[in-house]
Amino acid sequence: MPMTTPTLFKEYIWLVKTIFNAKAISLSDLNIRWVETDMSGGVEMSRTTFYRHKCAIEDMFGIYIECDRKNGNKYYIGNEEVLREESVQNWMLSTLSVSNMLGESQSLQHRILLENIPSGDGKLQLVINAMKENRQVMMTYRRYGSPASNSFTLAPYCVKLFHQRWYLLGCLSNGFWATFSFDRMEEVKMTPTKFKLPEDFDASEYFRESYGIVVNDKVKTERIVLRAYGYEPYNLRDLPLHHTQREINKTEDYSDFELRLKPTTDFMTKLFSRGEWLEVLEPQSLAEELIEWHRKAIERYKK
């Protein structure tokens, strides 16, 4: 009986995770672990099936399973960096893994609570199709607080998921780059006009010095030192605020963390939301700005 697509996905996910966690593993050792799973039915994975899965994983996820013939023909993830960062491959693998797990837990559907991530009512798919074809899109957009909508044409450069919302980075006809939230788009249409993506454009690099989706060239990149109290150090270790974050000091009462990024509004909002549990040690200018935010909040409550 041929395997169904969900079954194949489970095997792909298992293969990638097992090889990634093992660092390097031979096919015989891989089969020892495979036979222990319910998926195997107690039967080893043939070399032909393994290579078929290997090719499918490369085609579908862009994850390369390589063989080190000098090290006993052991298999490893050739581009393992994509499984350690905010990449499409990592996101797809995690999403499919969770989806499979939930699919096998239908009896618990009333005891598993999820967060909604809007997909933009088809707008996300349209924009991705436009990106594939390098075609401009015409958008009708209404910003928060704006009394009216605006329509314009832009070249869609990349999309980014941040805090349960999808955003589009695009280049307007005047050459200005801007980021738009999908949930504020009233209408999006693909146009026949083609655009050429700059050869040096790198989406990850563009946002590398930002906390989220705000990129402001007027804000300089700074060394930021945060002191975390209570349980906050555990939160920061499990969910780093930025890829540059590193712990530089640890005591029984607090831990200090260093980051290098642009302290834009979305980053400051995150710090502000942690209240008394996070203190800015450096730079002083950022600390003073947050103090002013807290002062205004206190004044509002007094009223």
Side-chain angles (χ1 to χ4, degrees), residues 30-56:
L30 190 68
N31 257 320
I32 291 174
R33 302 187 187 188
W34 167 250
V35 172
E36 294 174 350
T37 69
D38 294 334
M39 292 180 290
S40 70
V43 179
E44 289 191 354
M45 181 182 293
S46 69
R47 187 175 294 273
T48 300
T49 299
F50 172 76
Y51 280 113
R52 188 162 53 240
H53 285 7
K54 175 179 175 294
C55 293

Short mmCIF file of all heavy atoms in Angstrom, two decimals, residues 30-56:
data_model
loop_
_atom_site.label_atom_id
_atom_site.label_comp_id
_atom_site.label_asym_id
_atom_site.label_seq_id
_atom_site.Cartn_x
_atom_site.Cartn_y
_atom_site.Cartn_z
N LEU A 30 21.22 4.64 12.11
CA LEU A 30 19.96 5.32 11.87
C LEU A 30 18.81 4.31 11.88
O LEU A 30 17.74 4.57 12.44
CB LEU A 30 20.01 6.05 10.52
CG LEU A 30 18.87 7.03 10.20
CD1 LEU A 30 18.93 8.24 11.13
CD2 LEU A 30 18.97 7.49 8.76
N ASN A 31 19.06 3.14 11.30
CA ASN A 31 18.02 2.11 11.25
C ASN A 31 17.73 1.51 12.62
O ASN A 31 16.60 1.09 12.88
CB ASN A 31 18.43 1.00 10.28
CG ASN A 31 17.69 1.12 8.96
OD1 ASN A 31 16.50 1.42 8.93
ND2 ASN A 31 18.38 0.89 7.85
N ILE A 32 18.72 1.48 13.49
CA ILE A 32 18.48 1.00 14.85
C ILE A 32 17.45 1.89 15.54
O ILE A 32 16.52 1.40 16.21
CB ILE A 32 19.79 0.97 15.66
CG1 ILE A 32 20.73 -0.11 15.11
CG2 ILE A 32 19.52 0.75 17.14
CD1 ILE A 32 22.10 -0.11 15.75
N ARG A 33 17.59 3.20 15.34
CA ARG A 33 16.63 4.14 15.93
C ARG A 33 15.29 4.10 15.20
O ARG A 33 14.24 4.27 15.81
CB ARG A 33 17.22 5.56 15.90
CG ARG A 33 18.54 5.68 16.63
CD ARG A 33 19.00 7.11 16.73
NE ARG A 33 20.35 7.21 17.28
CZ ARG A 33 20.94 8.36 17.62
NH1 ARG A 33 20.29 9.50 17.45
NH2 ARG A 33 22.17 8.36 18.10
N TRP A 34 15.35 3.89 13.88
CA TRP A 34 14.14 3.86 13.07
C TRP A 34 13.23 2.70 13.46
O TRP A 34 12.02 2.87 13.60
CB TRP A 34 14.52 3.77 11.59
CG TRP A 34 13.38 3.43 10.67
CD1 TRP A 34 13.20 2.27 9.99
CD2 TRP A 34 12.27 4.27 10.34
NE1 TRP A 34 12.04 2.32 9.25
CE2 TRP A 34 11.45 3.54 9.45
CE3 TRP A 34 11.89 5.55 10.72
CZ2 TRP A 34 10.27 4.05 8.93
CZ3 TRP A 34 10.71 6.07 10.20
CH2 TRP A 34 9.91 5.33 9.32
N VAL A 35 13.81 1.54 13.67
CA VAL A 35 13.02 0.36 14.03
C VAL A 35 12.30 0.54 15.37
O VAL A 35 11.25 -0.05 15.61
CB VAL A 35 13.92 -0.90 14.06
CG1 VAL A 35 13.18 -2.11 14.62
CG2 VAL A 35 14.44 -1.21 12.67
N GLU A 36 12.85 1.39 16.23
CA GLU A 36 12.23 1.64 17.53
C GLU A 36 11.00 2.54 17.45
O GLU A 36 10.25 2.66 18.42
CB GLU A 36 13.26 2.27 18.48
CG GLU A 36 14.42 1.34 18.83
CD GLU A 36 15.48 2.05 19.64
OE1 GLU A 36 15.41 3.30 19.76
OE2 GLU A 36 16.39 1.36 20.15
N THR A 37 10.75 3.16 16.29
CA THR A 37 9.61 4.05 16.14
C THR A 37 8.37 3.26 15.69
O THR A 37 8.48 2.18 15.11
CB THR A 37 9.88 5.15 15.10
OG1 THR A 37 9.94 4.55 13.78
CG2 THR A 37 11.19 5.86 15.38
N ASP A 38 7.19 3.83 15.97
CA ASP A 38 5.94 3.20 15.53
C ASP A 38 5.80 3.26 14.01
O ASP A 38 5.12 2.42 13.41
CB ASP A 38 4.75 3.90 16.18
CG ASP A 38 4.71 3.70 17.70
OD1 ASP A 38 5.26 2.68 18.15
OD2 ASP A 38 4.15 4.55 18.40
N MET A 39 6.45 4.25 13.39
CA MET A 39 6.32 4.42 11.94
C MET A 39 6.92 3.26 11.17
O MET A 39 6.48 2.92 10.07
CB MET A 39 7.02 5.73 11.51
CG MET A 39 6.36 6.99 11.99
SD MET A 39 7.25 8.48 11.42
CE MET A 39 8.75 8.39 12.41
N SER A 40 7.94 2.62 11.74
CA SER A 40 8.68 1.59 11.01
C SER A 40 7.91 0.27 10.88
O SER A 40 8.15 -0.49 9.93
CB SER A 40 10.01 1.31 11.70
OG SER A 40 9.79 0.65 12.95
N GLY A 41 7.02 0.02 11.84
CA GLY A 41 6.34 -1.27 11.85
C GLY A 41 7.32 -2.40 12.11
O GLY A 41 7.06 -3.56 11.75
N GLY A 42 8.46 -2.07 12.69
CA GLY A 42 9.47 -3.07 12.99
C GLY A 42 10.34 -3.45 11.81
O GLY A 42 11.13 -4.39 11.88
N VAL A 43 10.20 -2.71 10.70
CA VAL A 43 10.95 -3.02 9.48
C VAL A 43 11.99 -1.93 9.23
O VAL A 43 11.68 -0.73 9.32
CB VAL A 43 10.01 -3.13 8.26
CG1 VAL A 43 10.81 -3.42 6.99
CG2 VAL A 43 8.97 -4.20 8.50
N GLU A 44 13.21 -2.31 8.88
CA GLU A 44 14.26 -1.34 8.61
C GLU A 44 13.93 -0.51 7.36
O GLU A 44 13.21 -0.97 6.47
CB GLU A 44 15.60 -2.05 8.41
CG GLU A 44 16.19 -2.62 9.67
CD GLU A 44 17.63 -3.07 9.46
OE1 GLU A 44 18.11 -3.04 8.29
OE2 GLU A 44 18.28 -3.45 10.45
N MET A 45 14.48 0.69 7.31
CA MET A 45 14.33 1.55 6.14
C MET A 45 15.38 1.15 5.11
O MET A 45 16.57 1.14 5.40
CB MET A 45 14.52 3.03 6.53
CG MET A 45 14.35 4.01 5.38
SD MET A 45 14.64 5.73 5.87
CE MET A 45 13.25 6.00 6.97
N SER A 46 14.92 0.80 3.93
CA SER A 46 15.86 0.36 2.89
C SER A 46 16.71 1.52 2.42
O SER A 46 16.34 2.69 2.57
CB SER A 46 15.10 -0.24 1.71
OG SER A 46 14.38 0.77 1.03
N ARG A 47 17.85 1.19 1.85
CA ARG A 47 18.73 2.22 1.33
C ARG A 47 18.03 3.03 0.22
O ARG A 47 18.21 4.24 0.12
CB ARG A 47 20.02 1.59 0.80
CG ARG A 47 21.10 2.59 0.38
CD ARG A 47 22.37 1.87 0.00
NE ARG A 47 22.97 1.20 1.15
CZ ARG A 47 23.79 1.78 1.99
NH1 ARG A 47 24.13 3.06 1.83
NH2 ARG A 47 24.32 1.11 3.01
N THR A 48 17.22 2.34 -0.58
CA THR A 48 16.49 3.02 -1.66
C THR A 48 15.50 4.03 -1.09
O THR A 48 15.41 5.17 -1.57
CB THR A 48 15.73 1.99 -2.52
OG1 THR A 48 16.66 1.08 -3.09
CG2 THR A 48 14.97 2.69 -3.64
N THR A 49 14.75 3.62 -0.05
CA THR A 49 13.80 4.53 0.59
C THR A 49 14.52 5.71 1.23
O THR A 49 14.07 6.85 1.13
CB THR A 49 12.98 3.78 1.66
OG1 THR A 49 12.25 2.73 1.04
CG2 THR A 49 12.00 4.72 2.36
N PHE A 50 15.66 5.43 1.86
CA PHE A 50 16.43 6.51 2.49
C PHE A 50 16.85 7.55 1.46
O PHE A 50 16.68 8.76 1.68
CB PHE A 50 17.66 5.94 3.19
CG PHE A 50 18.61 6.99 3.70
CD1 PHE A 50 18.32 7.72 4.84
CD2 PHE A 50 19.78 7.28 3.01
CE1 PHE A 50 19.19 8.70 5.29
CE2 PHE A 50 20.65 8.25 3.45
CZ PHE A 50 20.35 8.97 4.60
N TYR A 51 17.37 7.11 0.34
CA TYR A 51 17.82 8.06 -0.69
C TYR A 51 16.64 8.81 -1.32
O TYR A 51 16.77 9.98 -1.69
CB TYR A 51 18.64 7.34 -1.76
CG TYR A 51 20.07 7.09 -1.33
CD1 TYR A 51 20.54 5.79 -1.11
CD2 TYR A 51 20.95 8.15 -1.14
CE1 TYR A 51 21.84 5.57 -0.69
CE2 TYR A 51 22.25 7.93 -0.73
CZ TYR A 51 22.69 6.64 -0.51
OH TYR A 51 23.99 6.41 -0.09
N ARG A 52 15.50 8.12 -1.45
CA ARG A 52 14.32 8.79 -1.97
C ARG A 52 13.86 9.89 -1.02
O ARG A 52 13.51 10.99 -1.44
CB ARG A 52 13.20 7.75 -2.20
CG ARG A 52 12.00 8.31 -2.93
CD ARG A 52 11.13 7.23 -3.53
NE ARG A 52 10.76 6.22 -2.52
CZ ARG A 52 11.07 4.94 -2.62
NH1 ARG A 52 11.75 4.48 -3.66
NH2 ARG A 52 10.69 4.08 -1.68
N HIS A 53 13.86 9.57 0.27
CA HIS A 53 13.50 10.57 1.29
C HIS A 53 14.53 11.71 1.30
O HIS A 53 14.16 12.88 1.44
CB HIS A 53 13.45 9.92 2.67
CG HIS A 53 12.23 9.08 2.91
ND1 HIS A 53 11.32 8.80 1.93
CD2 HIS A 53 11.77 8.48 4.05
CE1 HIS A 53 10.35 8.05 2.43
NE2 HIS A 53 10.60 7.84 3.72
N LYS A 54 15.78 11.36 1.18
CA LYS A 54 16.86 12.37 1.18
C LYS A 54 16.65 13.39 0.06
O LYS A 54 16.77 14.60 0.27
CB LYS A 54 18.20 11.66 1.02
CG LYS A 54 19.42 12.56 0.87
CD LYS A 54 20.68 11.70 0.76
CE LYS A 54 21.92 12.55 0.48
NZ LYS A 54 21.87 13.19 -0.84
N CYS A 55 16.31 12.90 -1.14
CA CYS A 55 16.08 13.79 -2.28
C CYS A 55 14.83 14.63 -2.07
O CYS A 55 14.79 15.82 -2.42
CB CYS A 55 15.96 12.98 -3.57
SG CYS A 55 17.49 12.16 -4.07
N ALA A 56 13.77 14.03 -1.52
CA ALA A 56 12.53 14.76 -1.28
C ALA A 56 12.73 15.86 -0.25
O ALA A 56 12.21 16.97 -0.40
CB ALA A 56 11.45 13.79 -0.80
#
